């Protein structure tokens, strides 16, 4: 019997940049009638705020303090994306390439991570049914989730998808910086390239978007059968 309809359901999804975590997790959350948490948006919002305040990104202590002080709010409605910091709507701004190029400095700050992990765990605990995605959800934020999935795709597929997503505005070198160089830097503090024990892998390289959603739903169904 599957526990998919249970009142309490936590789904953890990790993977590299451009693998489809955000778009697929959002669609899966809608299908499951669950909340959706984009943890990467939290790292992005802090990066936006630190840059806007003129805090030196290279000053690890100042960045960690900025995270602890941050008045950060994030919607968990999969149909209403909203990220606010200090009451300012930064939903669109945090997707700008300049944020993608600098966010790893926040993501590799261990004190900043500890504070964001704490906040993410609070949000997950406050929502009965939730799909949370990022880089360390299956291993650090929600290691006891009902289903834990690593969503992967080849480098070629991820670069192609990100290029299309950005409407062809970025050249190959810019895409490589935003996708591959970022992953390389982020990988120094978290492992999102190999599935930890008990984590199921879904490789979307040869799947279209709808097939990937179905593959993730199948993996969740398998994990929650007991
Ligand atoms: N299986 C798929 N086939 C084709 N396109 C896909 C597939 N999965 C996702 N996409 C598209 O790829 C793009 C990147 O996906 P998405 O933003 O969800 O990736 P991500 O893993 O969350 O990336 P990041 O971690 O950098 O934010 C989106 O435009 C999305 O619609
Ligand atoms: N749980 C997480 C989520 C995200 N990050 C880092 C990795 C990225 O460089 C950045 C933005 O994430 P994205 O919006 O591209 O998914 O945040 C992380 O370290 N841990």
């Amino acid at each position: 019997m599957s526990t998919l309809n249970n009142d309490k359901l936590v789904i953890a999804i990790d993977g590299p940049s451009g693998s489809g975590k955000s778009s697929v997790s959002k669609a899966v959350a809608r299908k499951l009638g669950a909340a959706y948490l984009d943890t990467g948006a939290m790292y992005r919002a802090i990066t936006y705020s630190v840059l806007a305040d003129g805090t030196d990104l290279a000053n690890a202590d100042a960045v960690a303090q900025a995270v602890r002080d941050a008045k950060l709010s994030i919607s968990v409605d999969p149909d209403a994306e909203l990220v606010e910091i200090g009451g300012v709507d930064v939903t669109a701004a945090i997707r700008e390439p300049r944020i993608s190029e600098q966010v790893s400095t926040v993501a590799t700050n261990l004190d900043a991570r500890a504070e964001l992990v704490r906040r993410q765990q609070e949000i997950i605990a406050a929502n009965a049914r939730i799909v949370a995605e990022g880089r360390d959800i299956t291993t650090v934020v929600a290691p006891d989730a009902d289903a834990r999935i690593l969503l992967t795709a080849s480098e070629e597929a991820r670069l192609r998808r990100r290029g299309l997503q950005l409407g062809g505005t970025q050249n190959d070198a810019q895409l490589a910086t935003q996708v591959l160089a970022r992953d390389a830097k982020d990988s120094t503090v978290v492992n999102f390239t190999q599935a930890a024990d008990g984590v199921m892998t879904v490789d979307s390289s040869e799947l279209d978007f709808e097939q990937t959603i179905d593959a993730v739903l199948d993996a969740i169904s398998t994990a929650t059968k007991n």
Side-chain angles (χ1 to χ4, degrees):
M1 158 132 23
S2 166
T3 55
L4 274 188
N5 295 320
N6 280 7
D7 288 346
K8 185 82 188 149
L9 183 71
V10 177
I11 308 298
I13 300 183
D14 287 327
S17 179
S19 60
K21 295 180 304 298
S22 313
S23 49
V24 171
S25 299
K26 207 180 288 182
V28 165
R30 285 190 194 108
K31 298 232 181 207
L32 295 175
Y36 160 69
L37 178 62
D38 176 353
T39 60
M42 298 172 76
Y43 287 90
R44 287 172 178 272
I46 296 294
T47 307
Y48 176 92
S49 167
V50 162
L51 289 171
D53 288 351
T55 305
D56 180 5
L57 261 180
N59 183 335
D61 290 340
V63 171
Q65 191 57 46
V67 179
R68 288 189 285 268
D69 292 343
K71 298 206 173 356
L72 175 59
S73 140
I74 183 163
S75 163
V76 292
D77 179 345
D79 292 312
E81 193 182 352
L82 179 64
V83 185
E84 292 177 316
I85 191 146
V88 177
D89 181 346
V90 295
T91 313
I94 62 172
R95 304 294 164 191
E96 289 170 9
R98 73 184 177 97
I99 303 297
S100 302
E101 282 165 14
Q102 309 224 51
V103 63
S104 292
T105 307
V106 174
T108 54
N109 179 318
L110 296 183
D111 293 326
R113 291 197 75 81
E115 173 62 12
L116 287 177
V117 166
R118 188 189 67 74
R119 294 188 192 206
Q120 290 156 10
Q121 288 173 333
E122 272 183 9
I123 295 171
I124 292 169
N127 287 274
R129 294 170 67 83
I130 188 161
V131 179
E133 56 92 359
R135 304 294 192 288
D136 58 350
I137 312 303
T138 61
T139 51
V140 177
V141 177
D144 297 327
D146 299 289
R148 296 185 297 149
I149 295 167
L150 183 71
L151 181 59
T152 62
S154 65
E155 274 185 18
E156 189 270 329
R158 294 188 289 114
L159 287 167
R160 179 168 30 83
R161 290 174 189 171
R162 182 49 42 86
L164 287 171
Q165 187 179 31
L166 295 174
T169 59
Q170 307 292 297
N171 63 33
D172 288 353
Q174 288 169 315
L175 285 175
T177 302
Q178 291 169 32
V179 176
L180 307 181
R182 183 151 65 94
D183 277 350
K185 196 166 176 200
D186 295 336
S187 295
T188 61
V189 290
V190 271
N191 180 4
F192 49 82
T193 52
Q194 283 162 330
D197 278 355
V199 175
M200 304 170 84
T201 299
V202 172
D203 186 338
S204 73
S205 308
E206 305 297 330
L207 304 179
D208 67 21
F209 186 61
E210 292 301 326
Q211 289 171 328
T212 307
I213 294 167
D214 287 343
V216 169
L217 286 169
D218 282 350
I220 294 171
S221 199
T222 302
T224 58
K225 257 188 203 118
N226 54 25

